[in-house]
Amino acid sequence: MRFYNRELELKKLRQIEKQSSNGAKMTVLVGRRRIGKTKLIKEAFEKKVYLFVSRKSEPLLCEEFISIVETELGITVHGEFHSFAKLFAYLMELSVSRGFTLVIDEFQEFLQINSSIYSDIQNVWDSYKDRSKLNLVLSGSIYSLMRRIFEDRKEPLFGRADTKIHLKPFTIITLKEILTEVYPAFTPDDLLSLYMFSGGVAKYVELFVNAGAFSRDQQIDLMFDEFSLFLEEGKNLLIEEF
């Protein structure tokens, strides 16, 4: 399925990227799982350092990140980095002389790895932001945690973000556009059922489209298939949030 909608978000992200050449910018991108944050990031930035925070030990995570940084920026990182704070300071220092986009996806996962990382990031950011040319994008899918990190006055990163983008589900207008392209013979019932079953969540819409499940009956069959992704989604969302 091709990239739909999100014109306003794309325009804003690219605008911020240009502005970062005159001073570091921090953008927070939030939205529930499967809403299309990663796809939006990849569409918005042709060149970027993309770091995904998985639940691993901090030294192992840094080792993976260094490999990505070297590949994307065409540099050799000297020294050992066992803490993300040290690596982030290195990247901020590097961005003083050369601007680049740094994306940290699933940013809230640092809470499980080392919650003091947020204080370290705040200290490094405050020290370098006026001289840096870094376009920093922090993305997260657990809304309650991302809100706590950036909107709780007691948290170190409160008030640090320049822009916050809350990625919303597709509207019924966008769903109608999608069906018009892929299944022109759709009925009002087909559109209504797609809206009800997907909730406008980009990944779910993509699953229906890729499976050719355009009619209401086809959509129901896909959802209740023995191997369907939908069967576990409710449980997984509850586990993540609570």
Side-chain angles (χ1 to χ4, degrees):
M1 190 175 85
R2 73 170 180 85
F3 189 81
Y4 285 91
N5 197 261
R6 313 302 192 200
E7 287 85 2
L8 291 177
E9 291 87 353
L10 279 174
K11 182 179 179 181
K12 186 64 176 177
L13 288 171
R14 289 167 178 165
Q15 183 183 56
I16 294 169
E17 184 181 31
K18 289 181 180 179
Q19 293 172 348
S20 66
S21 62
N22 297 317
K25 298 294 181 184
M26 181 189 292
T27 302
V28 176
L29 177 62
V30 297
R32 57 150 290 173
R33 274 193 344 142
R34 307 191 189 283
I35 203 71
K37 299 184 300 299
T38 302
K39 200 164 186 178
L40 172 65
I41 288 168
K42 290 180 179 179
E43 191 77 15
F45 308 118
E46 183 178 348
K47 294 182 179 180
K48 60 192 170 297
V49 177
Y50 177 85
L51 307 179
F52 181 87
V53 183
S54 54
R55 295 187 183 183
K56 300 178 180 179
S57 68
E58 193 172 350
L60 183 57
L61 207 55
C62 289
E63 185 179 329
E64 290 183 3
F65 289 170
I66 289 170
S67 176
I68 295 169
V69 168
E70 289 181 329
T71 300
E72 295 300 327
L73 297 182
I75 62 173
T76 300
V77 178
H78 298 287
E80 294 185 357
F81 296 86
H82 298 297
S83 72
F84 181 77
K86 187 176 178 182
L87 177 58
F88 185 66
Y90 174 86
L91 293 173
M92 287 293 289
E93 177 73 37
L94 183 65
S95 71
V96 172
S97 57
R98 60 176 293 184
F100 60 92
T101 294
L102 172 64
V103 178
I104 305 178
D105 202 356
E106 297 300 349
F107 185 67
Q108 78 282 337
E109 292 299 326
F110 279 131
L111 282 169
Q112 304 294 329
I113 299 167
N114 178 3
S115 60
S116 67
I117 285 176
Y118 300 122
S119 295
D120 296 331
I121 288 176
Q122 177 236 311
N123 290 330
V124 173
W125 181 260
D126 290 349
S127 299
Y128 283 95
K129 66 177 181 178
D130 293 333
R131 296 179 290 130
S132 166
K133 300 180 183 66
L134 183 68
N135 178 33
L136 178 62
V137 180
L138 306 174
S139 175
S141 59
I142 302 181
Y143 184 75
S144 57
L145 294 182
M146 290 294 285
R147 184 174 181 181
R148 168 184 156 190
I149 293 166
F150 292 100
E151 297 183 23
D152 188 332
R153 291 179 179 273
K154 298 177 183 178
E155 296 297 321
L157 289 176
F158 173 78
R160 294 308 189 281
D162 299 287
T163 306
K164 180 181 176 184
I165 298 175
H166 186 184
L167 204 58
K168 305 274 181 74
F170 289 147
T171 64
I172 200 163
I173 294 174
T174 301
L175 295 180
K176 185 177 181 180
E177 178 189 351
I178 294 170
L179 279 181
T180 300
E181 286 190 17
V182 300
Y183 183 59
F186 75 92
T187 67
D189 278 353
D190 298 333
L191 176 58
L192 177 61
S193 62
L194 179 62
Y195 181 66
M196 291 172 60
F197 298 148
S198 72
V201 176
K203 180 61 177 180
Y204 302 158
V205 176
E206 185 177 46
L207 287 173
F208 285 125
V209 170
N210 290 346
F214 304 125
S215 71
R216 180 180 57 185
D217 291 341
Q218 289 172 329
Q219 292 163 17
I220 292 173
D221 288 342
L222 176 65
M223 287 192 300
F224 289 100
D225 182 85
E226 182 182 356
F227 306 105
S228 172
L229 171 76
F230 291 95
L231 298 179
E232 298 292 323
E233 278 296 275
K235 183 184 73 174
N236 292 338
L237 287 170
L238 287 171
I239 288 172
E240 285 191 348
E241 286 292 343
F242 296 103

